Amino acid sequence: MKSRNVSGGLVYSTEHGRMCPQCGFAVAQCQCGKQEAPAGDGVVRVRRETKGRNGKAVTVIQGAPLNALELAQLGKQLKNACGSGGTVKDGVIEIQGDHCEQVQSLLKQRGWTVKRAGG
């Protein structure tokens, strides 16, 4: 038998309607996507990594002034623009392949200060 999570697994309430499974609030008052953006120096850094990836290149974007929900949306837009897969985790966007130049131009179009990191 599977155990229920700590919040009891409430997904609907006759008083409030649909409930968010993560924060436990009604969907209209959900606090999950409204978290503050991490404070940074205002510079978005783009770098290429191959370490620990069997020699395959990955474009890493770090320092975007967005909360978790907006960062996930930006990650999806960048993956579509590059025609590649990727992920968003721990405030960092990873896109499969070497797309540094293309990502830099897309981020500059948004009006952000973008730097190439790592050489």
Side-chain angles (χ1 to χ4, degrees), residues 15-74:
E15 184 177 344
H16 300 290
R18 291 199 46 81
M19 305 295 280
C20 175
Q22 279 83 28
C23 65
F25 288 102
V27 171
Q29 290 87 28
C30 179
Q31 302 295 315
C32 297
K34 297 178 183 172
Q35 297 169 347
E36 294 281 327
D41 59 357
V43 178
V44 180
R45 288 177 170 75
V46 179
R47 69 180 184 269
R48 179 179 166 267
E49 281 186 3
T50 57
K51 187 173 183 178
R53 303 177 196 278
N54 293 330
K56 295 182 178 157
V58 174
T59 303
V60 179
I61 301 101
Q62 191 171 19
L66 302 171
N67 64 29
L69 183 61
E70 294 169 332
L71 197 67
Q73 291 172 347
L74 175 63

Side-chain angles (χ1 to χ4, degrees), residues 30 39 42 50 52 79 87 96:
C30 179
T50 57
K79 289 187 293 184
T87 187
Q96 296 172 352

